[in-house]
């Protein structure tokens, strides 16, 4: 039996807040009108905004030291979809789910597609996993997968990625995302060039299996589990690989996979310029790939990234159609609440970026007026667009206050009765 948030409860909770939201919305509308901005046009764009949630994000994460299972964790992809449906019912901007195989592998993918259809969910990018050995696996990934010195291990990883494409076709996805943990932990352990050559050779075989209407997204990461060198360690290696493979290969940007203080928004601009921006994994980071809730630490950086994205929309940049997805780990919070919070945070950055006066910004940039150019961005960022986000949700049948409505529903306690804690991780995360 599928549990959902009762629509009557959503309406009841909204009724308590709607008058105040309308008043705030009207006031913001008047303020924006003085800047020649139509609030209804901005709200329509907010309603259209979508960001995918990761299937594994519905479970509790962990660290290398410990994992503390949460109440009512989903134990399989079907239960993850139930939680993802609740997130979308309340937020109305997360209609797509990104699965991870083999964590989410099932015997009948047609059945899985039917379940997602019934929940009004669509499938986003397919994520392969060649960074863990699975039970009974014949050839190990201990020393890498697509760049392993063992041809047998490489072939196994290639086969898995091609299987992911086949499963994704059944589900209706059109993107394969590949991240590998390949690298080395000691100087001299690996020949840098030969490892990259083996990686490219393997990726070309995967690319050859790609349907003509699909994209292959390459994800880079600075470190872990390879702490000395990583085969695809930054956007430079990423875009080089994407260019080597072909037009359907693009670079994916995970906000937590960069060195501290890296100018991520400039990287985004470069990838847009060369038609190689595939998409994003949104999260936040303090030290290194913390996978914290999106916008929890660096909301202005997130806004600046969206400034580049909205600028590309504004200029109708050729080949610009990135995928947006959350990718974060929840160790001490309810995953549903964190994912709703993060989705709203990313949506907020998008809406704020829509408010940038691009004509004025361009003039300030042309005249080298650094202060006013910066202030133009800050004026948009500092505008509280909460009434727009709330109105966009309520008009689509979502909740004005998603977390309050979720807590009022008692959903977590209800699913806990049906999902006894096994101590394992249905998310696939160790």
């Amino acid at each position: 039996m599928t549990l959902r948030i009762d629509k009557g409860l959503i309406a009841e909770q909204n009724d308590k807040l709607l008058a105040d939201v309308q008043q705030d919305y009207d006031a913001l509308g008047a303020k924006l009108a003085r800047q020649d901005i139509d609030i209804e046009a901005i709200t329509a764009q907010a309603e259209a905004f979508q960001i995918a949630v990761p299937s594994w994000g519905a479970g509790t994460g962990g660290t290398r030291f410990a994992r503390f299972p949460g109440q009512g964790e989903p134990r399989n992809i079907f239960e993850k979809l139930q939680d993802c449906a609740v997130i979308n019912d309340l937020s109305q901007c997360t209609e797509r789910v990104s699965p991870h195989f083999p964590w989410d592998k099932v015997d009948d993918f047609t059945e899985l597609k039917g379940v997602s259809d019934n929940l009004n969910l669509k499938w986003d990018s397919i994520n392969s996993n060649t960074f863990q050995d699975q039970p009974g696996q014949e050839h190990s990934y201990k020393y890498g997968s697509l760049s392993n010195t063992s041809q047998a291990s490489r072939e196994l990883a290639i086969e898995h990625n091609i299987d992911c494409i086949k499963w994704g076709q059944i589900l209706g996805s059109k993107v394969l995302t590949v991240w590998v943990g390949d690298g080395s932990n000691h100087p001299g352990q690996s020949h840098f060039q030969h490892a990259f050559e083996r990686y490219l050779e393997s990726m070309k075989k995967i690319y050859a299996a790609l349907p003509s209407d699909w994209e292959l997204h390459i994800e880079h990461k600075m470190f872990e589990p390879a702490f000395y060198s990583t085969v695809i360690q930054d956007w430079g290696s990423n875009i080089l690989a994407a260019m080597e493979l072909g037009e359907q290969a693009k670079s994916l940007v995970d906000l937590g996979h960069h060195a501290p203080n890296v100018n991520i928004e400039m990287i985004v601009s470069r990838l847009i310029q060369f038609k190689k921006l595939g998409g994003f994994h949104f999260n936040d980071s303090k030290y290194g790939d913390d996978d914290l809730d999106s916008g929890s630490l660096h909301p202005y950086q997130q806004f600046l990234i969206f400034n580049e994205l909205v600028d590309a929309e504004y200029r109708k940049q050729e080949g610009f159609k990135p995928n947006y997805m959350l990718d974060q780990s929840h160790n001490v919070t309810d995953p549903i609440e964190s994912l709703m919070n993060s989705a709203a945070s990313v949506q907020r950055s998008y809406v704020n970026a829509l408010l940038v006066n691009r004509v004025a910004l361009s003039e300030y940039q042309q005249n080298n007026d650094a202060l006013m150019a910066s202030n133009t961005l800050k004026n948009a960022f500092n505008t509280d667009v909460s009434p727009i986000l709330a109105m966009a949700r309520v008009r689509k049948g979502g909740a004005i206050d998603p977390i309050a409505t979720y807590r009022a529903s008692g959903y977590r306690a209800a699913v806990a009765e049906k999902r006894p804690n096994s101590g394992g991780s249905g998310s696939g995360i160790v």
Side-chain angles (χ1 to χ4, degrees), residues 320-393:
F320 178 77
K321 194 179 178 181
N323 273 36
Y324 299 144
M325 193 188 96
L326 299 171
D327 181 13
Q328 54 193 54
S329 181
H330 316 104
N331 300 328
V332 295
T333 61
D334 183 320
I336 290 178
E337 294 186 356
S338 272
L339 288 168
M340 289 193 296
N341 234 24
S342 292
S345 171
V346 176
Q347 186 183 31
R348 180 184 298 274
S349 294
Y350 171 65
V351 173
N352 279 121
L354 292 173
L355 303 183
V356 173
N357 187 331
R358 305 217 165 262
V359 174
L361 179 62
S362 179
E363 290 177 357
Y364 292 135
Q365 290 171 338
Q366 192 68 27
N367 294 323
N368 295 308
D369 193 335
L371 182 69
M372 290 307 298
S374 178
N375 282 351
T376 299
L377 293 180
K378 288 182 178 178
N379 286 338
F381 172 72
N382 288 327
T383 302
D384 183 4
V385 296
S386 299
I388 293 176
L389 302 181
M391 192 61 74
R393 286 193 294 270

Side-chain angles (χ1 to χ4, degrees), residues 291-302:
D291 285 347
L292 305 177
D293 289 9
S294 299
S296 60
L297 283 177
H298 306 295
Y300 191 54
Q301 180 186 59
Q302 186 171 273

Side-chain angles (χ1 to χ4, degrees), residues 56-94:
W56 60 96
T60 303
T63 70
R64 289 187 299 276
F65 301 100
R67 178 181 174 276
F68 301 95
Q71 184 184 39
E73 281 191 334
R75 300 162 296 180
N76 52 57
I77 183 58
F78 298 102
E79 293 179 350
K80 294 176 195 176
L81 286 179
Q82 291 179 17
D83 289 358
C84 291
V86 168
I87 294 168
N88 190 51
D89 285 346
L90 296 172
S91 71
Q92 287 298 319
C93 65
T94 58

